[in-house]
Amino acid sequence: MKFLLYSLLICIYISLSLDGFAQTAAAQKDQPGIFLQQAESERINKNYEAALSAVRLSIQTALQNKNYTGAAKAYTLLVNIKSNTKELTTLKETSDSALLMAQRANDPVAMAYAYYARALLYKTLDDAENVVKNCQAGLKELKQKMDHTIAGKLYYQLYAVNSTWNNEDKVNFYARKATENILQTKDYNMLSNCYTALSVAHEYNYNTQKEKQELDSTLFYLSQSEALYRQYPGQVADYTYAIACINIASCYLKYFPETDEGAKSQAVHFAKTARTVLKDAGNSQEVVASSLGILSEYARRENNNAGEERYLLDAYEVMKTEQPPYYYTMINVVNALSALYKRKGDYQKALEYQEKVTEYSNKNFSQKQAQNAQKLEIQYETERKDNEMRVLKEREKSRMLQNYLYACIAVASLLGLVFMFRSYHFRLRYAMQREKQLQLEKLDSELQIKLQKEEQARLVAEQRLMETQQQQLQKEVMANVLHLEHKNRMLLNIKDKLSEGDPVNMQKILKEELVIDNDFENAKLQIQRVHPDFFNLINEKAQRNLSPLDLKLCAYLYLKMDTRQIAQLMNIEAKSVRMSRYRIKQKLGLGKDEDLNVFLQALGS
C-alpha cells in the first residue's frame, strides 16, 4: 500500500513539473519558433537529445536574426530541459543567458520568460521561496504586455509550490489562473496539465470538506485532461496522457471502496492504458512502474499473490532499465516485494529484497548527498553572484545618490547665482526702465513741440492758401472786369454808330467778338494760374511807377491780345497802344531788344 501511495505521489509530482512551450500561430511562422516547438514536443516526450538539438538550432537562428525575444524563449526551454535531466553544472549559466537575451530584447514578454527560467532554476535547487519570487516578478512584467502562454506557466509553477506547502486556497486560486490563461492558447498539452492541477485542487477540497461533489470534480477534470489526447491527436504527448490515466486510476484506487467493481474496472483500464501507451517510450519508467503498482495493489486485494508478484517483478525490471535509476521508486518496489514474500512465508526472498531495500537506500542517500552538494554549490554560486550584483546595484545606487547630492548642491548654487543675477538684473532693469521712461517723457515733449510746430505750419499753409485763393479771385475779377469793360466799349461804339446813322456790320462785329471771347477765355484761364505776386512783381520791377492804365495794358498783353484788340478794348488808337508799350518797357527797365510780352509771360510763370 505504501508503494501505491508513493507511486501516486510520484505521478502527481511528475504532472506538476511538466509544462509546455507551445508557440502561438504567429510564432510558428518563423524558423526559431518552429525549432522551439519541435524542441518542446521532444522534451515532453522525454526525447531529451532530440530536444537539445532542436533548441540549439532555435537559439542559433534567433541570434542570427537578432530575435532576442525568441532567443530568451529558447534559452528558457533549454533551462527546462537541463532541469529535467538534472544537468546542474550549466543550469545557472543557461538561466543567466535567458535573462541577458531578455534584457537585450527590452520586451516584457521576454523578461517574463527569463523570470520563468529563474523559477525553474530555483525549483531544481528546491528553493521554493525564490521560485515564488521570480514567478511573481514575471507576472508583474506581463501587466505591461500580456502573453497567456507564459502567464499560464508562471501560475502553474505557483500552483506547484503551494501544493507542496499544502496551501489549499492558493492551490485552488493558481490552478484556476493557470487554466484560464492556457485556455486562451492552443497549447493542449499544457492544458492537460492544468486540468490535472484543477483535479488536485478539488482533491485538496475533498480531503478537507469530505463532500462528494469535490470528488466528482476531481474525476471530472481528470477525465477532461485525458480526453484532450483523443480530441487533439498529436498535440498532447503520450507521456502527458499516460500521467492523466495514472491519476484517474489512482483516484479510483484511493477514494473508492474495494467492493466497488465499477471503480476497480476503471482503475485497471486506465492503469493498463498508461502502460500500453508508454510501452516503447524512453525515460518513462516511473509512470510504467506506477501503472504496475496499481495493478499489483488490485491483485493483492483479490489475494492473487501470483498476479501481485508478477506485476511487482515487472515493475522492478522496468526500474532497473532506467539510467540513472530512480532509487526512491526502486526502494518502494523492492520493499513491496519483500512484504509480499514475507506474507507468502518465503523469508529468504523477503530477506533478499529487504537487503536490496538497504542497498538502494544507501545508494539513494549517496545520490541525494551528491545532488545536494551540487545544488548547494550552485546555490552558493548563484547567491554569491546575486550578492555581487546586489552590491554592485547598491554601489550604483550609492553613486547615484552621491551624484544626486552633488547635483542638489550644484542646483542650489546655481539657484543662488540665479537669484543674485536676477536681483542684479532686476535693479538693472529698473534703472533701464527708469531711463527709458525719462526718454519716453523727453520724446513725448519733443513730439508735443513737433506737433505744435506742425500745427503752426498747417495754419501758415492754410493762411497762404487763403491768400492765394484771394489773389486768384482778384485775378479772375480783374479779367472779368477787363472783359466787361471791352463789352461795354463795344456796345457804346455800336450805339454811337447807330445814333449817327452809320452802317453797322453786325455779322463782322459778332465774328470778331467770338474770336475775342475765345481768346479771352483762354487768356482768362492762364491769368487765373498766374503767380500770386504777379502785379506786385510788376510794380516792384517798375519801382511803383505803373499807373492803373499801365497795369491794365500789362494784363491785356499777358492775355496775349494783339495791338488792334487792345486798341479796341481801350478805345484808343493802335499808335497809342504802341506808345504805352514803349513807356511801360522804360518803367520796367527793359532794353530796346527785350520783348515786353516775353517778359510778362516769364514773370507770370
Side-chain angles (χ1 to χ4, degrees):
M1 185 66 182
K2 289 182 181 178
F3 168 70
L4 292 174
L5 292 175
Y6 176 73
S7 298
L8 178 61
L9 290 174
I10 291 298
C11 292
I12 293 173
Y13 173 78
I14 293 171
S15 70
L16 296 179
S17 64
L18 290 175
D19 56 329
F21 279 79
Q23 305 300 306
T24 60
Q28 291 175 359
K29 294 179 180 179
D30 66 325
Q31 197 173 15
I34 294 173
F35 288 136
L36 199 64
Q37 188 180 29
Q38 292 173 351
E40 174 60 9
S41 177
E42 299 293 347
R43 186 193 72 82
I44 61 180
N45 283 297
K46 302 287 185 174
N47 299 323
Y48 295 122
E49 290 297 327
L52 284 171
S53 299
V55 78
R56 283 167 181 154
L57 284 173
S58 179
I59 292 171
Q60 181 181 354
T61 53
L63 291 176
Q64 286 174 351
N65 297 324
K66 295 184 179 180
N67 181 4
Y68 297 115
T69 298
K73 293 179 180 181
Y75 274 113
T76 301
L77 178 54
L78 186 57
V79 170
N80 205 355
I81 295 171
K82 291 185 176 183
S83 176
N84 293 151
T85 57
K86 305 299 180 185
E87 190 178 337
L88 304 180
T89 53
T90 58
L91 193 60
K92 173 65 170 59
E93 181 183 349
T94 308
S95 174
D96 291 340
S97 296
L99 182 60
L100 179 61
M101 293 297 104
Q103 289 171 343
R104 285 188 181 180
N106 193 26
D107 178 20
V109 173
M111 287 301 300
Y113 272 91
Y115 281 121
Y116 180 67
R118 297 277 289 182
L120 293 175
L121 167 65
Y122 284 112
K123 178 183 177 181
T124 307
L125 299 176
D126 298 323
D127 188 348
E129 291 184 359
N130 273 314
V131 172
V132 172
K133 180 180 177 182
N134 281 279
C135 286
Q136 289 174 343
L139 291 170
K140 185 177 179 181
E141 290 289 335
L142 293 177
K143 290 180 179 179
Q144 304 177 48
K145 181 181 177 182
M146 176 51 68
D147 183 290
H148 292 290
T149 299
I150 189 60
K153 293 173 178 22
L154 291 166
Y155 280 121
Y156 189 89
Q157 291 302 321
L158 288 171
Y159 146 78
V161 171
N162 282 279
S163 67
T164 60
W165 290 344
N166 294 319
N167 190 326
E168 181 181 343
D169 292 336
K170 289 189 176 180
V171 165
N172 278 271
F173 174 75
Y174 288 124
R176 285 197 304 273
K177 294 296 289 184
T179 306
E180 288 171 4
N181 279 277
I182 295 301
L183 280 170
Q184 303 297 318
T185 72
K186 294 183 179 180
D187 190 345
Y188 299 110
N189 189 79
M190 185 64 190
L191 182 59
S192 179
N193 289 329
C194 288
Y195 282 143
T196 300
L198 282 173
S199 74
V200 173
H202 284 285
E203 186 178 357
Y204 270 95
N205 299 340
Y206 176 73
N207 290 329
T208 303
Q209 303 166 16
K210 299 300 180 182
E211 294 182 359
K212 185 176 181 302
Q213 63 180 7
E214 294 295 340
L215 184 59
D216 292 341
S217 296
T218 301
L219 284 170
F220 169 76
Y221 284 112
L222 285 173
S223 64
Q224 290 289 97
S225 176
E226 182 266 340
L228 287 173
Y229 182 78
R230 296 188 303 275
Q231 189 176 357
Y232 299 100
Q235 298 189 53
V236 178
D238 292 341
Y239 191 85
T240 305
Y241 173 64
I243 288 177
C245 292
I246 290 295
N247 288 336
I248 294 172
S250 297
C251 184
Y252 281 117
L253 176 66
K254 183 177 180 180
Y255 295 110
F256 286 78
E258 296 182 8
T259 57
D260 191 334
E261 290 297 325
K264 172 189 172 182
S265 176
Q266 289 291 321
V268 170
H269 165 72
F270 283 109
K272 288 182 177 180
T273 300
R275 182 184 178 189
T276 302
V277 168
L278 297 179
K279 182 178 180 181
D280 298 322
N283 299 311
S284 304
Q285 288 85 344
E286 296 95 336
V287 180
V288 174
S290 296
S291 69
L292 290 168
I294 292 171
L295 294 173
S296 70
E297 179 61 21
Y298 275 108
R300 186 192 66 77
R301 290 181 179 183
E302 295 174 349
N303 294 317
N304 182 0
N305 291 332
E308 180 184 2
E309 181 181 12
R310 183 176 71 254
Y311 288 132
L312 288 175
L313 287 173
D314 286 347
Y316 181 49
E317 292 299 323
V318 167
M319 289 305 301
K320 285 195 296 184
T321 62
E322 185 178 28
Q323 293 299 327
Y326 191 64
Y327 289 113
Y328 210 78
T329 303
M330 292 279 285
I331 291 169
N332 281 275
V333 170
V334 294
N335 197 34
L337 283 168
S338 177
L340 171 64
Y341 287 122
K342 186 177 180 180
R343 287 198 313 272
K344 291 174 64 176
D346 191 345
Y347 296 105
Q348 183 177 356
K349 283 189 176 182
L351 179 61
E352 179 183 342
Y353 281 105
Q354 191 60 45
E355 288 176 351
K356 288 184 180 295
V357 170
T358 304
E359 177 188 352
Y360 290 136
S361 295
N362 291 332
K363 289 182 178 181
N364 183 55
F365 179 76
S366 299
Q367 186 184 61
K368 287 292 182 184
Q369 274 191 322
Q371 288 180 352
N372 288 336
Q374 196 173 15
K375 288 180 180 179
L376 287 172
E377 183 179 355
I378 295 172
Q379 194 167 8
Y380 169 76
E381 186 67 19
T382 301
E383 290 179 356
R384 184 181 68 82
K385 290 185 177 180
D386 289 343
N387 287 333
E388 288 178 357
M389 289 297 297
R390 194 177 300 110
V391 169
L392 289 173
K393 288 181 179 179
E394 288 177 356
R395 286 180 181 174
E396 181 66 18
K397 185 178 179 181
S398 176
R399 187 182 64 81
M400 290 179 65
L401 180 61
Q402 188 177 18
N403 292 339
Y404 176 74
L405 291 174
Y406 287 151
C408 289
I409 294 172
V411 169
S413 301
L414 182 61
L415 288 175
L417 291 173
V418 169
F419 176 77
M420 293 174 62
F421 174 76
R422 287 186 65 83
S423 177
Y424 168 76
H425 181 68
F426 176 77
R427 290 195 298 268
L428 180 62
R429 185 171 61 181
Y430 176 76
M432 292 176 66
Q433 287 180 347
R434 182 63 180 168
E435 183 180 357
K436 187 176 181 180
Q437 185 177 1
L438 292 173
Q439 290 178 351
L440 288 174
E441 290 176 355
K442 182 179 178 182
L443 288 173
D444 187 57
S445 299
E446 292 177 351
L447 183 60
Q448 291 293 335
I449 294 171
K450 185 177 180 181
L451 289 174
Q452 290 177 0
K453 289 181 178 179
E454 289 180 353
E455 183 66 18
Q456 291 175 359
R458 186 182 64 81
L459 292 174
V460 170
E462 288 180 354
Q463 184 177 1
R464 289 179 178 176
L465 179 61
M466 290 176 65
E467 291 176 354
T468 302
Q469 290 176 347
Q470 186 178 4
Q471 292 175 1
Q472 186 74 14
L473 289 173
Q474 290 174 356
K475 293 177 189 179
E476 188 172 354
V477 168
M478 186 188 80
N480 289 330
V481 168
L482 293 174
H483 191 238
L484 288 172
E485 184 179 351
H486 167 73
K487 294 296 182 182
N488 290 332
R489 288 184 179 276
M490 181 195 70
L491 290 173
L492 288 173
N493 288 333
I494 293 173
K495 181 181 178 182
D496 290 343
K497 287 181 179 182
L498 289 174
S499 62
E500 293 177 358
D502 294 335
V504 178
N505 190 348
M506 292 301 295
Q507 293 294 329
K508 181 181 179 182
I509 293 171
L510 288 174
K511 186 176 180 181
E512 290 177 352
E513 286 303 316
L514 286 175
V515 173
I516 292 172
D517 286 344
N518 289 334
D519 292 341
F520 180 78
E521 287 300 324
N522 292 332
K524 182 179 176 182
L525 291 174
Q526 293 178 8
I527 202 170
Q528 287 175 351
R529 293 193 297 269
V530 78
H531 194 278
D533 294 333
F534 176 73
F535 293 105
N536 290 333
L537 289 173
I538 295 173
N539 274 323
E540 288 177 1
K541 191 70 176 176
Q543 297 180 355
R544 305 290 177 179
N545 289 327
L546 295 176
S547 64
L549 187 62
D550 293 334
L551 291 173
K552 185 185 293 188
L553 179 60
C554 288
Y556 285 139
L557 292 173
Y558 181 75
L559 292 174
K560 297 183 179 180
M561 293 183 181
D562 58 19
T563 302
R564 184 182 58 81
Q565 290 174 327
I566 294 172
Q568 290 178 355
L569 286 172
M570 296 182 71
N571 198 22
I572 59 176
E573 296 291 334
K575 181 180 179 181
S576 298
V577 173
R578 285 193 290 271
M579 290 298 293
S580 296
R581 286 166 58 96
Y582 179 75
R583 187 175 58 252
I584 291 171
K585 283 180 64 176
Q586 287 181 335
K587 289 180 179 181
L588 292 173
L590 297 177
K592 182 179 180 181
D593 296 330
E594 291 183 89
D595 190 341
L596 179 60
N597 288 343
V598 175
F599 172 78
L600 291 175
Q601 294 298 326
L603 189 64
S605 63

